[in-house]
Amino acid sequence: MTFPKSLCLLLAMSSLALTTLAGAASPPAPDFSGIWRLNDQQSDSPSDIAARLRAERKLEQPVQQPASATSTGTPANQASSHGGHGGHGMGGGGMGGGHGHGGGRGQNKAATTDNGTAPPDDPPPLLADDSMMNVQQDAKGIRVVLGDKDQLDSQLDGNTRQSLDGNAMVQTHLTAAGLQIIMQFTGDVRLQQDWVQSPDGHHLIVTETWTTPAVQQPIVFKRSYDRLDI
């Protein structure tokens, strides 16, 4: 059977349109492979992140009622009658309350480690080693070497696996915007990274959501990178 030329042309155009739509519906997966250097000027610094943690802790701290409104004069009298013993108890309480101060840092860290939770003044995981990132990615997985120290190997299937030399459970998957890595550490510490690459592939923005038992609300910060090998 012979079809009219107009019908053949229409069928050919329809096939081309369907092929174009199929290609537009499934763009190529983003590839973050490369050597990336932290841009300090465009990134939140460790001091900025620590300040946000302190501000959040202060915001969440319950308002304490005046001592005269919540207690009678008897405990105070008893404390003064015991002399030095009572003073020692108050001094110990002051150290315990100073989580963010250098004087109590060592004691805090030991106490919270014994309880299996992260010290309240600990910095976010990996922050000390992320100034350089060597990223290798293929269709199945991604490898990130941080400052020649920590190495993260993860599959892109969204399943949770042990990584970072056994120090974290890691889940990685591609998103509509780029890449998401979720790391769960001991002590209820969680770090979520959302990677977005610039259209020209020269810059990378990593938005990090740090969940720590020190505060109820996560701390969100940004790290920006420039690619060196292109």
Side-chain angles (χ1 to χ4, degrees):
M1 178 181 293
T2 303
F3 293 98
K5 291 183 178 181
S6 59
L7 180 58
C8 291
L9 180 60
L10 180 60
L11 290 173
M13 292 177 63
S14 299
S15 177
L16 178 62
L18 289 174
T19 302
T20 303
L21 288 174
S26 56
D31 188 353
F32 294 92
S33 298
I35 300 175
W36 301 91
R37 181 175 62 191
L38 183 70
N39 186 328
D40 293 319
Q41 300 298 322
Q42 301 295 326
S43 302
D44 292 320
S45 68
S47 59
D48 293 334
I49 301 168
R52 293 180 191 179
L53 176 63
R54 290 194 299 269
E56 181 61 34
R57 289 175 62 189
K58 185 176 181 180
L59 183 65
E60 294 180 5
Q61 187 176 8
V63 178
Q64 297 183 356
Q65 297 295 328
S68 59
T70 57
S71 62
T72 64
T74 304
N77 293 335
Q78 290 177 349
S80 59
S81 65
H82 286 289
H85 178 73
H88 176 73
M90 291 177 65
M95 290 291 290
H99 295 303
H101 301 287
R105 178 181 293 267
Q107 291 185 351
N108 264 332
K109 187 162 294 187
T112 50
T113 301
D114 291 342
N115 293 333
T117 58
D121 53 358
D122 247 15
L126 310 180
L127 193 64
D129 302 328
D130 69 346
S131 59
M132 292 288 292
M133 295 197 307
N134 188 345
V135 181
Q136 301 173 20
Q137 179 184 339
D138 57 27
K140 294 183 178 181
I142 187 169
R143 171 177 292 178
V144 183
V145 179
L146 296 159
D148 295 328
K149 296 180 181 179
D150 295 301
Q151 181 169 303
L152 184 149
D153 288 288
S154 185
Q155 300 296 310
L156 299 174
D157 55 10
N159 293 325
T160 302
R161 296 178 177 87
Q162 199 171 46
S163 188
L164 286 171
D165 297 325
N167 292 319
M169 299 299 294
V170 178
Q171 178 190 80
T172 307
H173 65 276
L174 296 173
T175 66
L179 175 75
Q180 184 176 90
I181 304 176
I182 299 175
M183 293 167 274
Q184 186 72 41
F185 298 86
T186 57
D188 294 328
V189 175
R190 184 175 185 267
L191 189 67
Q192 175 180 312
Q193 296 183 341
D194 292 284
W195 294 27
V196 178
Q197 196 171 180
S198 64
D200 62 6
H202 288 206
H203 308 285
L204 171 65
I205 298 295
V206 180
T207 302
E208 308 202 30
T209 304
W210 173 36
T211 303
T212 168
V215 289
Q216 297 179 10
Q217 292 297 320
I219 306 300
V220 180
F221 59 94
K222 180 190 73 172
R223 306 289 270 177
S224 178
Y225 297 85
D226 300 322
R227 187 168 176 180
L228 299 181
D229 58 335
I230 55 175

